[in-house]
Amino acid sequence: MESFEKRYDGLAVEREMQDFWREEKIYKFSPDASRQVYSIDTPPPTVNGKLHIGHIFSYTQAEMVARYKRMQGFNVFYPFGFDDNGLPSERLVEKENDIKAKELPRSEFCQKCVDTTQKYEAEFRELWQSMGFSCDWELQYSTVSRDVQALSQKSFIELARAGRAYMKESPVLWCTECQTSIAQAELEAKDVPSAFHYIPFTGETGTIEIATTRPELLYGVVCVFVNPEDERYKSFVGKDVRVPLYDFPVPVIADERAAIDKGTGAVMCATYGDTTDVEWVEDYKLPYKKVMLPDGRIAEDVPFIGGLYHKKARKEIVRLLEEKGLLLKLEPITHTVSVHERCGTSVEIIPSRQWYIDILSMKDELLAAGDKVNWYPAFMKNRYTTWVENLKWDWCISRQRYFGVPFPVWYCAKCGKPHYANMEDLPVNPLEQEYHGVCDCGCSEFIPEQAVLDTWATSSITPQINRHTAEKYGIDGDFLPMSMRTQAHEIIRTWAFYTIAKSLYHTGDIPWKDVMVCGFVLAKPGEKISKSKGNAKLTPQALVEAYSADVIRYWAAGARLGTDTFFDQQEMQDASRRTITKLWNSSKFVLSHLQDFDPNYIPALSLPIDRWLIERTNQTVQEAAKQLDQYEIGLARKLIDDLFWKDLCDNYIEIAKERLYQPDIHGEEERKSAQAAIYYCLLTILKMYAIYVPHLTEYIYQKGFRELVGEKSIHLTTWPKVQKLNPEILEFGEQVKEAVSLMRKYKSENDLSMRAEIDKFVVAGSKKYDEWFRASTKDLTACSHADEIVFELK
């Protein structure tokens, strides 16, 4: 048993323990038929800049589950990946290099993306390692690697050949800033200041006043809709009105989707102002009039505002309406608009040829799959269900960007028919490789697809990526569904939803059995910490250097699963360091009394208070495991804290301390009984705390327990298997604690030192425990410094 330093140096110990784990390959995944695999689908962090404390919060909670399952005897398959392709990475490269992707040759820009993402991936990995993450880095993957590109392209080809992926020219959600199509799941609602512009549409039976927030789309108006129950406009239905300023006629049609109580109750349908416009154009076979271009400018042939960007175009149209007396009223409002989550730009709807995956026809299957998955916490399932029920668009998977997984598609130059790569040739890049073949129409010339796959189209197959890795270890048939997916609640509508959809198509089953949904870290009420907001005061790397990884980990385990938490550096420092210091000092004390302890020796005498401590430890093991099986990291930690602070430190050690120090007074067998109790309790506490503060617990284990236990790392030990508890010894212990608490209260209220002598110590309790109480007389005398112990047992 090694000696302990006076003070615990967290940073030095953490580096030492990480080196030990790496050298000894403590977390290396190895196939073992005797142990059940527990597989974790970890979110590959998006490589779009620095990580912040919010990432540490959620990723650390999941890492604690990996440690817990390993110490329950599972063979933990815990890979890490990096989502390093697509728009987020492109925007990072553009920002860091002060360039625009469209201004460079595609190959040159993509190489800059590769260089930049590799740099950040190295930083991410170094951070996770400094946090003591117990993953096997040989299982690492990246979403732009050749293996993953091949899997992603294979997924697309399988869906396309099955008719589940299809291409069509249709209105699509479009970001004019990123200049790419986007999916419904990439929208965020944002309240912005706007205005209702009241303008007259005049017809032969009078004037319809319309309130619009998009006057720049007047040239694209193709119809006016009114509610069939609205008496004000019944005489207009079936007739034409003329569009102000442009003076061309459009029909008036009655449709119940026109809300009587919104604006004036009459709505102009323009191509395209919103999704209702899209529905109306399709339902009534209305014409399309081009107004908005992909770059956010107005089409050149639009009178008055052609060539202007849409915000300037709106101002110019409003000016012209005012000048001609056509702006009847301007009413400021706060308007909810859909913005692109990546850049915050208001989303437009424009016609474009895109690739889609059919999800609208699968709503029932998707809802049933959501029922089959175990959601933790359970209420998070409602977010998934609500999302599926309110889907309006199929999943658009093509992006007009540069750095991503290429579509393995070429089009016939004559008839446009798509032709797919051979599976054995994947991955392919049609821009660099030719298609060799002849189309059904006889043409042998082909045009490569230039778009890339949506990032989610690749990250949604992480279970299949992990299965591909597992197959290299001889694990195949029963790998899917995986055991658990961990993720934040904001991406239920994207990562969870898309992964379930892809899994149903490719395997016919759910992708994982459990979903562990973590909360956010908030900088202030309602504002999550994020890279884009720049509201994290210190980087995770700086926090680790300032406080140590275990301090941060302990804090990260303080919240209930799925709930958001505020980040307070002082609170993190105080609570975490207090426990870490106490665990260090208590371990030094306990181990100083185990120098001559033989773990294989069973004392002939076991005092009741010792049996209580062992049983109380077993109770905590059982209750903490129950919480951890529900992924309640914080609730389990609270139970372990209570055992450590209240039962071991505040009560048992104070009660049994003299027996450890003075066997000549209390007896050698009595001392050995106490040794057995504190050995079992502290070792078990260290095992339970090991998932939270792995460096400290490993260091204490190496110094004081490795020689006694025999296993080379505490993280390769297992928790005790508790079968049945003894409720009577537990109740006895609580009565002893209550008596000691009242004694301490008496001394405190009378300004007496805890070591002050008192005449008598009255101990109340149950008469059925009379023998146990009397067997504890010496301990009670020692901890109370009383001349007499009086038992009042009923």
Side-chain angles (χ1 to χ4, degrees):
M1 193 174 293
E2 299 179 22
S3 61
F4 279 70
E5 300 89 340
K6 185 175 181 180
R7 295 186 61 186
Y8 177 69
D9 184 347
L11 291 176
V13 166
E14 287 175 1
R15 287 190 288 269
E16 182 181 342
M17 293 300 96
Q18 289 160 18
D19 289 342
F20 167 71
W21 294 333
R22 187 162 44 249
E23 291 166 5
E24 295 294 329
K25 302 186 185 302
I26 299 298
Y27 307 121
K28 180 175 176 57
F29 177 77
S30 298
D32 183 350
S34 67
R35 293 190 296 155
Q36 181 181 346
V37 171
Y38 184 89
S39 54
I40 301 176
D41 189 15
T42 308
T46 305
V47 183
N48 62 343
K50 302 287 186 179
L51 296 174
H52 54 71
I53 191 63
H55 295 99
I56 297 298
F57 179 71
S58 58
Y59 278 86
T60 300
Q61 288 184 345
E63 196 273 342
M64 291 169 183
V65 172
R67 288 186 176 276
Y68 165 70
K69 292 296 183 181
R70 191 179 290 113
M71 297 183 81
Q72 298 304 304
F74 288 94
N75 193 11
V76 175
F77 183 87
Y78 180 37
F80 245 80
F82 296 100
D83 196 3
D84 49 9
N85 77 90
L87 184 57
S89 298
E90 287 189 25
R91 292 181 64 81
L92 171 65
V93 172
E94 289 178 325
K95 180 180 179 181
E96 287 205 345
N97 294 276
D98 193 23
I99 57 174
K100 291 291 184 182
K102 61 185 178 183
E103 297 171 355
L104 274 70
R106 185 168 187 153
S107 59
E108 181 181 340
F109 179 74
C110 287
Q111 185 57 50
K112 287 183 179 293
C113 290
V114 169
D115 296 340
T116 301
T117 54
Q118 286 180 348
K119 178 186 73 172
Y120 278 100
E121 283 173 20
E123 290 181 8
F124 288 9
R125 176 168 168 167
E126 184 178 345
L127 174 63
W128 300 137
Q129 290 174 326
S130 73
M131 286 296 297
F133 278 22
S134 61
C135 53
D136 181 353
W137 289 103
E138 292 182 11
L139 306 180
Q140 178 183 324
Y141 66 86
S142 117
T143 57
V144 82
S145 68
R146 287 187 60 79
D147 273 3
V148 174
Q149 284 196 49
L151 291 171
S152 183
Q153 291 181 341
K154 178 183 177 184
S155 166
F156 166 75
I157 293 172
E158 286 179 354
L159 294 177
R161 287 177 174 168
R164 297 296 195 176
Y166 64 91
M167 179 185 61
K168 72 172 181 177
E169 178 97 20
S170 66
V172 65
L173 298 168
W174 187 271
C175 176
T176 57
E177 168 65 24
C178 301
Q179 293 192 35
T180 182
S181 57
I182 60 175
Q184 183 181 347
E186 296 171 77
L187 300 180
E188 285 185 349
K190 182 180 180 181
D191 290 335
V192 298
S194 185
F196 269 141
H197 304 80
Y198 290 79
I199 50 182
F201 284 68
T202 304
E204 60 184 50
T205 57
T207 298
I208 295 179
E209 192 174 310
I210 289 180
T212 179
T213 59
R214 300 293 304 271
E216 71 274 17
L217 296 182
L218 276 175
Y219 184 74
V221 174
V222 291
C223 187
V224 168
F225 284 93
V226 297
N227 193 287
E229 303 300 320
D230 197 332
E231 295 291 338
R232 296 170 294 175
Y233 304 124
K234 285 192 173 181
S235 63
F236 289 89
V237 175
K239 299 176 182 177
D240 289 345
V241 291
R242 303 191 76 80
V243 176
L245 205 60
Y246 292 102
D247 199 35
F248 57 79
V250 293
V252 178
I253 298 175
D255 189 288
E256 59 186 13
R257 284 169 286 189
I260 296 176
D261 58 351
K262 183 177 180 180
T264 64
V267 185
M268 70 179 206
C269 172
T271 53
Y272 293 98
D274 57 23
T275 56
T276 306
D277 288 345
V278 175
E279 294 171 6
W280 276 331
V281 168
E282 184 173 339
D283 292 348
Y284 293 97
K285 308 302 180 190
L286 299 170
Y288 168 71
K289 297 187 69 176
K290 182 189 290 187
V291 177
M292 189 70 65
L293 297 177
D295 62 359
R297 292 182 301 112
I298 303 299
E300 292 289 348
D301 59 348
V302 175
F304 310 125
I305 55 174
L308 296 178
Y309 282 97
H310 62 93
K311 288 185 179 179
K312 289 184 178 180
R314 182 179 303 177
K315 289 181 180 180
E316 177 61 13
I317 284 291
V318 170
R319 187 191 68 78
L320 289 171
L321 289 170
E322 285 182 316
E323 182 181 280
K324 297 182 180 298
L326 297 173
L327 185 61
L328 305 179
K329 185 171 69 169
L330 191 67
E331 178 186 341
I333 62 169
T334 298
H335 186 46
T336 301
V337 299
S338 293
V339 300
H340 186 194
E341 64 173 359
R342 296 294 186 189
C343 64
T345 303
S346 295
V347 171
E348 300 291 344
I349 301 175
I350 64 173
S352 180
R353 189 189 73 170
Q354 303 291 339
W355 280 95
Y356 296 83
I357 292 178
D358 171 22
I359 53 175
L360 293 179
S361 69
M362 281 189 66
K363 281 191 176 185
D364 290 343
E365 293 93 331
L366 289 164
L367 290 170
D371 292 337
K372 192 174 179 182
V373 171
N374 300 313
W375 296 83
Y376 298 94
F379 67 83
M380 287 295 178
K381 176 189 164 188
N382 295 334
R383 298 194 182 197
Y384 173 85
T385 301
T386 300
W387 174 255
V388 174
E389 289 176 342
N390 289 280
L391 284 169
K392 295 181 179 179
W393 303 69
D394 276 338
W395 177 12
C396 178
I397 59 169
S398 45
R399 296 292 180 270
Q400 286 60 51
R401 299 300 297 182
Y402 308 93
F403 185 56
V405 178
F407 274 86
V409 182
W410 297 258
Y411 304 97
C412 174
K414 183 177 180 181
C415 69
K417 180 182 177 181
H419 291 255
Y420 309 110
N422 294 321
M423 293 293 196
E424 58 270 19
D425 295 333
L426 302 179
V428 299
N429 184 349
L431 292 175
E432 298 175 357
Q433 296 162 255
E434 294 183 358
Y435 180 81
H436 300 287
V438 179
C439 184
D440 294 341
C441 70
C443 179
S444 58
E445 292 184 21
F446 297 90
I447 301 170
E449 172 63 78
Q450 297 199 23
V452 296
L453 284 159
D454 172 20
T455 303
W456 292 114
T458 301
S459 54
S460 61
I461 61 166
T462 49
Q464 288 79 15
I465 295 170
N466 290 325
R467 180 180 62 183
H468 178 70
T469 303
E471 287 172 350
K472 299 175 183 177
Y473 290 82
I475 301 170
D476 43 30
D478 58 352
F479 184 80
L480 296 178
M482 294 183 72
S483 304
M484 185 267 279
R485 147 75 65 87
T486 173
Q487 64 167 77
H489 54 66
E490 69 168 345
I491 53 174
I492 288 175
R493 73 180 195 270
T494 49
W495 197 35
F497 168 70
Y498 289 147
T499 307
I500 290 173
K502 280 284 194 84
S503 183
L504 289 180
Y505 275 142
H506 291 303
T507 73
D509 200 354
I510 55 176
W512 0 257
K513 299 166 188 173
D514 298 347
V515 176
M516 173 189 176
V517 184
C518 303
F520 286 144
V521 176
L522 304 177
K524 58 185 180 181
E527 180 180 300
K528 73 166 184 171
I529 289 179
S530 70
K531 285 179 274 191
S532 60
K533 288 184 171 64
N535 52 9
K537 294 181 181 178
L538 287 179
T539 65
Q541 292 89 341
L543 288 169
V544 171
E545 288 299 318
Y547 301 110
S548 85
D550 280 353
V551 165
I552 300 170
R553 290 175 64 98
Y554 184 86
W555 164 81
R560 288 204 64 164
L561 182 64
T563 60
D564 298 338
T565 189
F566 292 104
F567 178 59
D568 186 311
Q569 282 182 222
Q570 192 62 45
E571 180 183 328
M572 177 190 72
Q573 177 182 357
D574 292 347
S576 300
R577 280 188 171 168
R578 180 169 171 263
T579 296
I580 286 172
T581 301
K582 186 71 171 179
L583 186 56
W584 173 254
N585 291 331
S586 299
S587 297
K588 285 199 297 182
F589 169 80
V590 169
L591 289 167
S592 71
H593 289 281
L594 296 178
Q595 297 293 331
D596 59 344
F597 176 69
D598 179 0
N600 298 312
Y601 175 75
I602 300 175
L605 174 68
S606 182
L607 293 184
I609 200 67
D610 301 337
R611 299 207 306 274
W612 163 75
L613 180 65
I614 291 173
E615 200 67 355
R616 179 70 186 90
T617 303
N618 287 337
Q619 182 184 36
T620 303
V621 168
Q622 193 176 78
E623 292 178 350
K626 183 178 179 181
Q627 294 296 341
L628 288 165
D629 286 339
Q630 302 289 311
Y631 304 102
E632 286 290 358
I633 308 292
L635 296 182
R637 198 204 76 184
K638 176 66 168 58
L639 294 168
I640 302 165
D641 286 343
D642 286 349
L643 171 68
F644 171 62
W645 281 95
K646 298 178 181 178
D647 296 311
L648 176 63
C649 297
D650 292 350
N651 284 286
Y652 180 80
I653 288 179
E654 295 305 316
I655 291 171
K657 184 187 296 183
E658 186 178 285
R659 183 151 43 101
L660 290 165
Y661 276 115
Q662 301 180 32
D664 54 322
I665 295 176
H666 291 265
E668 189 59 42
E669 283 300 310
E670 284 83 355
R671 175 174 176 267
K672 289 180 178 178
S673 176
Q675 283 182 310
I678 59 170
Y679 169 82
Y680 180 79
C681 179
L682 180 60
L683 177 59
T684 305
I685 283 174
L686 290 173
K687 288 181 179 182
M688 291 190 289
Y689 268 141
I691 72 174
Y692 301 100
V693 286
H695 305 90
L696 171 63
T697 52
E698 181 75 279
Y699 193 61
I700 294 171
Y701 176 85
Q702 294 296 327
K703 281 185 167 292
F705 286 96
R706 178 173 176 174
E707 185 179 326
L708 297 172
V709 176
E711 186 61 74
K712 66 179 177 180
S713 168
I714 192 171
H715 303 296
L716 298 180
T717 65
T718 56
W719 288 20
K721 300 298 181 184
V722 180
Q723 300 299 324
K724 187 177 181 181
L725 297 172
N726 183 335
E728 292 186 337
I729 198 70
L730 289 169
E731 184 181 27
F732 162 74
E734 291 304 312
Q735 291 180 8
V736 170
K737 283 168 57 181
E738 177 64 19
V740 170
S741 176
L742 291 173
M743 177 270 294
R744 289 171 174 167
K745 181 180 179 184
Y746 167 80
K747 287 188 175 183
S748 178
E749 290 175 347
N750 287 275
D751 295 325
L752 296 174
S753 163
M754 289 299 125
R755 297 185 60 82
E757 295 183 357
I758 54 177
D759 293 336
K760 65 179 179 180
F761 176 17
V762 178
V763 178
S766 300
K767 193 170 185 178
K768 62 180 178 179
Y769 303 136
D770 179 85
E771 182 180 344
W772 290 349
F773 275 111
R774 296 190 187 283
S776 306
T777 300
K778 284 187 178 181
D779 283 340
L780 293 171
T781 301
C783 77
S784 65
H785 302 281
D787 294 336
E788 180 186 8
I789 304 297
V790 177
F791 294 107
E792 294 185 354
L793 307 179
K794 298 178 182 179

